[in-house]
Amino acid sequence: MIRYDNSIVWLRRDLRLHDHAALDNALQASRQVRVLFVFDTDILDALPSRRDRRVEFIHGSVAALKADLEALGATLHVLHGAAPQRVPEFARAAGAQAVFCSRDYEPAAIRRDAAVQEALAGHDIAFHDGKDQVVFERDEVLTQSGRPYTVFTPYKNAWLRKLRSAGLAHHAPGERLERLAQEPPVPLPPLESLGFVRTNLAELGVRPGEAGARALFEDFLARIGQYKAARDYPAVRGPSYLSVHLRFGTLSIRELVATAQAIGGAGAETWLSELIWREFYQQTLWHRPDLAEGRCFKPEFDAIRWPNPAGHFEAWREARTGYPLVDAAMRQLDRSGYMHNRLRMVTASFLAKDLLVDWRLGERHFAEKLIDFDLASNSGGWQWAASVGCDAQPWFRIFNPVTQSEKFDPQGRFIRRYLPELSKVPDKYIHAPWTMPQGVQAECGVTIGRDYPAPVVEHKLQRERALALYKAASAGKARQA
Ligand SMILES: Cc1cc2nc3c(=O)[nH]c(=O)nc-3n(C[C@H](O)[C@H](O)[C@H](O)COP(=O)(O)OP(=O)(O)OC[C@H]3O[C@@H](n4cnc5c(N)ncnc54)[C@H](O)[C@@H]3O)c2cc1C
C-alpha cells in the first residue's frame, strides 16, 4: 500500500538489488524511491590503516550497484560524512517522508541508527528498519522458557523447525522497480578522495559486488557436495569463500539458505549448519551487547589475568612462532585478509592457550585484518577458541598445533604455499621443523633459528600453564556459587 510520495533506501551492509527486503518494502510503500549509500566517517576514521581491503571492496560493490541502478534509469547517491548528519540532510533535501534500511545488530550500529531515527523524527520523516541480513533475528528463536539459546545444537534444531513453519521470505520487486526515481547519474567519490588507497584485492581475485558474489557462489555450488569432507583442509578449495559477500550483503542469505535446502545431502546440510552458526552468534551478540566490549560470555573467565609474556603477541602477529601451521595461517591473513576456518581456530587457540596472551588482543588483530570481519562471528569465534564463550570448546581441550598440522595439512602443502622458506623440508619434519637433525637441516638448506624461527614456546609446558589459569578461574566460580 502506498503511504509515501518519496522515500529513501539507505544501504549499509546490503549492497545488492536482488532479494532486498528494505528496497522491496520501500518500493511497496512509496511512489518514488531514491537509493543512498554513505561512506561513514565515524567508521572510516577509526580504521587503523588507509590501505584497507574492506573499504576497497565496499567501493567496488557500490560502483557496481550504481551501474545496475543506472541501467534502470535511476542512480545511487553516494555521500561521504557522518551518517547521523548526512542521512537526515539528504532525506530533507530529497523531500522524503521515510527512510528504509536493513537492521544491524552491532551495538555501535544500533546507537547510530537511533541517532539517525531521532534526527529524522525532528523533521517528521519516518524511519523503517527491517530484517534482511539474517533469516531469524533477535527474539525469533528462543527456548521454551523464552530465553536465548546458549548451546548451538538445540538452537539449530529450533531454527530449522522455525524455518519449516515460517518459510523464507522472498523480496522480488519486479515491476515496482519502475518506482525508482529516474535521475541522471551522480558522481561516485574516488577511493582516494575518501582518504584510502588501493590494495591487492584485484590481484587476489576478490571480485566485489553482486556479480562477484554470484560467480563465487556458482563456483561453490559445483563443489558443495564435497564440502563436508573438504572443508577442514586449508590446502584444498573446500569452503565457499563467501564470507566477505555475506558481510556486505552482496548476496541474500535467504537465497543461500533456499539453495542449500534444495540441494540437500551431507555437503549442503553441513554448509547450512555453518550459516546457522552465523545466526547463532548474531543473536548471541544482540542479547549480550557487552561482548562487543570484550566481556567473556562466561563471566568467571573475566577473572583470568593473562600473563602476556613479552614478545609473544608480536611473534604470533608477525608469523614468527616457529610453528609452521600457525605461521602460514598468519601469513595468509596478512596477505589476503582471509584465513581458513580451521586455521582461525588453531591460531586463536595457540595465542590464548600456548602463548598465554589475552585473546582480546587477537580478536582485535583479526578485526583489523579480516576482509570478512564481522563483530558477532569474530567475537563468537575467539570466545569459542579461548573457551570463554557461548557453547565454547571446553577449557581443558587444548589443540596441539603439531597434531592439528599433521591431521589437516598432512603433506604440508598449505604450509609450503605460505612459508616458501620451508619448501624443501621433508614431509616428516614439516610440522615440527625444530626436530630436524643437523644433517637434514643442511641437506634441505634450512637452519632452524636462522632461516626459520625455533619454536617460541614448548607446547607441553604451556598447556600445563594454560590449564592452571583456567582451573583457577573455574574454581573461583565454584567458590562464589
Ligand atoms: C577466531 C575466529 C574468528 C572468526 N572471525 C570471523 C569473522 O570476523 N567473520 C566471519 O564471517 N566469520 C568469522 N569466523 C568464522 C569462520 O571462520 C568464517 O566465517 C569462515 O572461515 C569464512 O569462510 P567461508 O566463507 O569460506 O566459509 P564457509 O565454510 O563456506 O561457510 C559459509 C558461511 O557460513 C558462515 N560461517 C562459517 N563458519 C562459521 C562460524 N564458525 N561462525 C560463524 N559463521 C560461520 C560464514 O558466514 C561463512 O561465509 C571466525 C572463526 C574463528 C574461529
Side-chain angles (χ1 to χ4, degrees), residues 220 227 231 238-244 246-247 256 271 273-279 281 338-348 366-367 370 372-385:
F220 177 60
Y227 178 75
R231 71 189 180 122
S240 68
Y241 306 103
L242 281 169
S243 47
V244 63
L246 278 163
R247 173 67 184 87
L256 301 191
W271 193 62
S273 257
E274 297 306 315
L275 298 178
I276 304 174
W277 268 106
R278 174 177 171 272
E279 305 229 340
Y281 286 142
Y338 178 83
M339 192 193 286
H340 188 277
N341 180 56
R342 168 61 46 186
L343 303 180
R344 294 188 203 205
M345 297 194 286
V346 169
T347 53
F366 272 29
L370 281 174
D372 60 22
F373 166 61
D374 176 89
L375 179 54
S377 294
N378 196 46
S379 153
W382 272 95
Q383 295 219 15
W384 181 91

Side-chain angles (χ1 to χ4, degrees), residues 24 56 129 205-206 222 315 366 369 453:
D24 193 27
E56 190 177 348
D129 63 349
V206 177
F366 272 29
K369 289 275 176 185

